[in-house]
Amino acid sequence: MANLHELERSMPVAPLGIIALDSMAGMGRQVDQYMAQFRHSTDSLFQNDLSFEGYIKDSYLIKYEIPRFSTGEAKCVIHDSIRGKDLYIMIDICNHSLTYQMNGYTNHMSPDDHFQDLKRVISACEGHAARINVIMPFLYEGRQHHRTGTESLDCAYALSEIHEMGVDNIITFDAHDPRVQNSIPMGGFDNHMPTLQFIQALTSAVDDLALDKDHTIVISPDAGALDRAIYFAGAMGADTGMFYKRRDYSVIVNGKNPIVAHEFLGSDIHGKDIIIVDDMISSGESMLDTSAQLKAMGAKRVFICCTFGLFTNGLAAFDRAYESQNFDKVIVTNLTYLPPEIYQRPWFLCADMSRQIATIIDLLNHSSSISGELEPWDKIHDLLIGYYASRKVEE
């Protein structure tokens, strides 16, 4: 694992505990397995050191439950000891597959339901744990991060609320606008990007990429995602372009102004591989329209990289676009719930984030630097060197 030498020379903040809510139970088990592997590979002297009692275990998961009454009310019950532990609570507020019964009806859990469960867990742990950290990949209400009129400021309020409840650190991924952390200036807030995992997934599936400015362009589908595209392109040494979304601001449909047209700003893309980078796929309409225009403009291949694959309108539109050869691959992370059927799609690639989350937890538990995870330039550089070296060997 990364930074093993540094970890072996430092003391953990407190014994480690992981609470993976049902919304993120699968990821929690994967992270727990990595944690056990990491710590079983450390110096065996730790096993005889009282300072590291409970450091090497087969599992760090804490048992809990959130029972509900017939009215839909609920509470959190912690079944394992958490006293003095450094807790990491993992939650996916976008997991709509979970249900609960209320007055005889079956309700699918909404982001509001998940956030309320998070607060229940925090309130059950506060006063017992040494430190409480929340791993929330998709930031709750992250798209409502600023005011443009007389409206609510949901994300900032949610962050300040759980910070006041006793949460020390919030770990998120590809925040829609990371400046929302200004709402908790005295709290810890780390925003990680899955750039390394995107490149790993892409290079594992495609063996003839030339990730440089002469053959590849990283495209932002709108002005809001331009920083992500510049970061991604900078990591590979590729060129950057952008689409401008022209909207009709006189009309509001489903809470937003409809897009009238996409206009491209950038250099010639004819014959080049295109990587579209954004934080999420919601309905996917905008992304599919962008990819179709890029193919019509002469792009060789189009790869779509999005941190969160929400697919709120299902997968049918992507199936049709793939059959029409409007794009080649869609790469999303497993940080949020993905429908099981998506893994059977020929156009789908998953960027696994479980090892990175485990590494982040391990480093934070030792109060060690996580700069190598926030800015993984060296890892990306080494990955690309290995990729090109393997191609030369095959040739």
Side-chain angles (χ1 to χ4, degrees):
M1 64 165 295
N3 303 314
L4 178 60
H5 179 67
E6 180 181 348
L7 293 180
E8 290 183 345
R9 293 169 59 88
S10 62
M11 292 285 293
V13 172
L16 176 64
I18 300 174
I19 299 180
L21 273 69
D22 289 345
S23 60
M24 216 169 176
M27 173 69 81
R29 287 189 294 270
Q30 293 177 339
V31 169
D32 185 51
Q33 291 173 3
Y34 275 120
M35 287 303 308
Q37 292 175 16
F38 291 168
R39 298 201 165 177
H40 276 286
S41 66
T42 58
D43 194 333
S44 60
L45 292 176
F46 287 175
Q47 299 181 31
N48 300 318
D49 190 338
L50 290 178
S51 301
F52 287 85
E53 184 178 359
Y55 184 80
I56 300 176
K57 299 171 63 176
D58 292 331
S59 177
Y60 300 89
L61 290 174
I62 302 295
K63 295 179 181 178
Y64 82 102
E65 65 174 327
I66 301 180
R68 286 188 179 269
F69 302 98
S70 57
T71 58
E73 299 167 287
K75 65 178 180 179
C76 174
V77 182
I78 306 294
H79 293 298
D80 292 334
S81 174
I82 58 170
R83 188 167 299 279
K85 290 188 181 295
D86 186 24
L87 287 182
Y88 292 81
I89 305 172
M90 302 174 58
I91 181 170
D92 172 16
I93 61 102
C94 291
N95 190 335
H96 59 275
S97 69
L98 301 180
T99 61
Y100 63 93
Q101 296 295 314
M102 185 177 73
N103 296 319
Y105 295 96
T106 298
N107 284 353
H108 284 264
M109 290 190 68
S110 70
D112 292 341
D113 291 319
H114 287 299
F115 187 67
Q116 194 64 33
D117 278 354
L118 172 64
K119 292 193 291 184
R120 292 185 176 105
V121 175
I122 294 170
S123 64
C125 297
E126 176 59 20
H128 302 279
R131 190 172 67 172
I132 299 177
N133 311 272
V134 171
I135 300 177
M136 185 189 298
F138 188 97
L139 200 60
Y140 176 69
E141 294 291 355
R143 284 184 282 184
Q144 184 53 27
H145 56 89
H146 70 285
R147 284 189 175 128
T148 56
T150 307
E151 57 186 20
S152 58
L153 197 57
D154 296 57
C155 187
Y157 182 78
L159 291 178
S160 61
E161 185 178 12
I162 61 175
H163 175 65
E164 291 173 3
M165 291 180 69
V167 171
D168 296 276
N169 298 299
I170 297 171
I171 299 98
T172 191
F173 289 80
D174 202 354
H176 194 67
D177 188 343
R179 291 175 297 181
V180 75
Q181 66 184 287
N182 294 333
S183 62
I184 50 170
M186 302 302 291
F189 185 98
D190 294 316
N191 181 44
H192 296 265
M193 301 296 291
T195 308
L196 171 64
Q197 287 72 24
F198 280 150
I199 297 176
Q200 284 177 333
L202 198 54
T203 54
S204 296
V206 184
D207 58 7
D208 61 343
L209 288 172
L211 301 175
D212 55 49
K213 64 180 181 180
D214 296 322
H215 302 88
T216 303
I217 300 180
V218 180
I219 298 294
S220 168
D222 56 37
L226 185 58
D227 287 345
R228 295 181 183 88
I230 292 173
Y231 183 92
F232 200 113
M236 301 184 303
D239 204 355
T240 309
M242 185 189 79
F243 268 90
Y244 165 66
K245 290 180 180 178
R246 187 152 52 86
R247 295 180 181 271
D248 183 356
Y249 288 97
S250 65
V251 180
I252 296 178
V253 179
N254 295 327
K256 58 185 179 181
N257 304 108
I259 299 170
V260 176
H262 289 90
E263 299 177 1
F264 180 68
L265 305 175
S267 58
D268 182 27
I269 67 170
H270 192 273
K272 295 183 179 180
D273 286 328
I274 305 299
I275 301 175
I276 307 175
V277 180
D278 207 353
D279 59 338
M280 71 183 76
I281 293 174
S282 186
S283 66
E285 294 176 0
S286 175
M287 190 65 70
L288 293 177
D289 183 52
T290 299
S291 62
Q293 288 194 47
L294 289 168
K295 276 297 184 76
M297 293 166 61
K300 178 182 177 183
R301 291 176 293 192
V302 175
F303 304 102
I304 300 172
C305 293
C306 285
T307 306
F308 306 109
L310 306 180
F311 299 102
T312 56
N313 287 1
L315 305 177
F318 283 84
D319 292 335
R320 292 192 295 269
Y322 180 72
E323 291 173 0
S324 300
Q325 299 182 345
N326 289 340
F327 70 89
D328 294 85
K329 294 290 182 182
V330 173
I331 304 101
V332 299
T333 71
N334 56 347
L335 291 170
T336 53
Y337 171 78
L338 293 169
E341 60 269 22
I342 198 173
Y343 291 92
Q344 308 302 320
R345 297 303 201 267
W347 46 263
F348 173 74
L349 292 176
C350 180
D352 182 24
M353 302 296 293
S354 56
R355 185 182 181 90
Q356 186 186 14
I357 292 178
T359 301
I360 293 168
I361 291 175
D362 209 11
L363 291 169
L364 289 177
N365 182 237
H366 283 258
S367 282
S368 297
S369 172
I370 60 172
S371 59
E373 301 303 315
L374 288 168
E375 303 287 347
W377 298 106
D378 291 339
K379 294 181 180 179
I380 294 173
H381 181 68
D382 293 342
L383 171 64
L384 293 177
I385 289 177
Y387 174 69
Y388 292 128
S390 65
R391 287 176 54 185
K392 290 181 179 179
V393 171
E394 293 175 359
E395 292 173 0

